[in-house]
Amino acid sequence: MHEDIYGNADIIEAYSKHTSSQREQTPKRTQHSESEPTGRRCYQLAIVCLGILCFLLLMTVIVLFAYNNGLREEAKKNKAEMAQISSYLTSNYSEKLELQTSYSTCTAEKEQLQMKYSTYTENDRKKQIQFCPKGWTRFETRLYCISTEKKTWQESRQDCKNRGADLIVINSRQEQDIILHTDAWIGLTDREREGTWKWVDGTPLTTSFWRDGEPNNVGEEDCAHNNAGTNPIKSWNDKGCSAKSFWVCEKEA
Ligand SMILES: [Ca+2]
Ligand SMILES: [Ca+2]
Ligand SMILES: [Ca+2]
């Protein structure tokens, strides 16, 4: 009996403790419900912060994308400029090579011309014809001289005859070169028959060195005359025989 009483007393005490603990817990529940708005605010704040971070991240991505595009454009532009410069340099290099080649060719041509000029000058000096009063210039088996005065073709021929010679008969290119730098009568005429040219020794004309358009017999031109010029194979002209000029005599050595 006593044990039952004590047992019940324990149960009552336990219930009493449980009740009191419930009473103590009740205010805690009240406290928890008060902290709920604060937690929501924290959550909202976190959402806002996250949104701001996302926005900043997005902006960073956009800026980086734009910057990258700018870099690409600049790289493309630089590449185009490099291509232009490369093309310009290549073109200049080709031009330089062409100029160098041209310069080399010109230099070689100049040397050749200088050599020819030296040879020509030497030959010309050797062939320089002497004046008739002084003496004769020899070429192979023939002798030549040029007058120091001017006369008609007929008078000139007579002067040569007085010297035991006749007006020059040009039988070759070498003989033509002898009178290259002279303005003088030569022993060629078509007085006997117009258009039929004959040398004073009676031989017909075979090798001729007429200028372009000559002989043209303008106003009756029947005597051949050599005009000094740069073209040795085109230097003859038919003139009126009464014109006065220097002349060249030729005779056997
Ligand atoms: Ca001759
Ligand atoms: Ca004539
Ligand atoms: Ca003429």
Side-chain angles (χ1 to χ4, degrees):
M1 187 70 177
H2 280 286
E3 287 174 4
D4 290 337
I5 292 168
Y6 283 120
N8 288 337
D10 290 342
I11 291 167
I12 291 166
E13 190 180 356
Y15 178 76
S16 174
K17 281 181 182 177
H18 175 71
T19 309
S20 65
S21 72
Q22 276 187 336
R23 279 194 202 116
E24 285 172 2
Q25 284 176 1
T26 304
K28 282 183 185 173
R29 279 182 191 164
T30 309
Q31 279 180 350
H32 177 69
S33 64
E34 283 175 358
S35 67
E36 274 183 0
T38 308
R40 196 176 292 125
R41 278 199 298 274
C42 286
Y43 178 73
Q44 286 172 346
L45 187 62
I47 293 294
V48 169
C49 287
L50 192 61
I52 290 171
L53 278 175
C54 284
F55 176 74
L56 289 174
L57 189 62
L58 182 65
M59 289 304 291
T60 306
V61 168
I62 290 171
V63 167
L64 283 176
F65 182 74
Y67 181 69
N68 190 37
N69 271 356
L71 283 180
R72 276 186 189 172
E73 286 297 319
E74 198 172 336
K76 202 185 285 180
K77 193 178 167 186
N78 283 349
K79 194 177 173 185
E81 279 179 6
M82 285 294 291
Q84 273 187 341
I85 291 170
S86 173
S87 167
Y88 175 74
L89 288 176
T90 307
S91 163
N92 269 14
Y93 183 68
S94 304
E95 216 170 276
K96 187 187 170 191
L97 279 182
E98 278 180 20
L99 282 174
Q100 276 180 336
T101 308
S102 176
Y103 177 75
S104 302
T105 309
C106 281
T107 306
E109 278 178 8
K110 185 187 167 192
E111 283 173 3
Q112 279 185 343
L113 283 173
Q114 277 179 333
M115 199 180 294
K116 278 184 185 174
Y117 177 74
S118 304
T119 309
Y120 173 79
T121 309
E122 180 63 15
N123 289 341
D124 198 44
R125 189 185 62 75
K126 283 178 186 171
K127 288 178 184 173
Q128 194 160 15
I129 193 164
Q130 291 197 50
F131 293 113
C132 292
K134 286 188 177 179
W136 297 83
T137 298
R138 180 166 185 153
F139 174 65
E140 295 181 343
T141 60
R142 311 294 290 178
L143 298 174
Y144 308 86
C145 70
I146 185 167
S147 71
T148 54
E149 55 185 329
K150 292 182 177 181
K151 288 186 175 179
T152 65
W153 187 86
Q154 192 58 49
E155 290 168 346
S156 300
R157 188 177 183 195
Q158 188 56 51
D159 179 85
C160 289
K161 284 184 172 177
N162 293 343
R163 299 173 191 277
D166 206 334
L167 284 172
I168 185 171
V169 174
I170 298 170
N171 307 103
S172 65
R173 168 64 194 275
Q174 288 75 18
E175 232 175 347
Q176 169 68 15
D177 284 346
I178 292 172
I179 60 164
L180 180 62
H181 300 297
T182 64
D183 281 313
W185 291 121
I186 58 175
L188 185 66
T189 179
D190 71 341
R191 289 197 299 183
E192 286 183 12
R193 188 176 176 184
E194 178 58 38
T196 302
W197 291 89
K198 273 190 180 179
W199 292 107
V200 288
D201 63 0
T203 55
L205 176 64
T206 51
T207 305
S208 63
F209 300 96
W210 295 110
R211 296 177 74 170
D212 289 335
E214 305 292 347
N216 52 9
N217 198 46
V218 174
E220 198 60 33
E221 296 177 316
D222 297 337
C223 292
H225 181 266
N226 186 73
N227 283 348
T230 53
N231 192 339
I233 59 169
K234 289 182 179 179
S235 58
W236 295 357
N237 170 38
D238 58 339
K239 288 179 74 168
C241 298
S242 57
K244 293 193 172 182
S245 176
F246 298 108
W247 67 92
V248 174
C249 298
E250 175 188 355
K251 70 177 181 179
E252 200 168 352

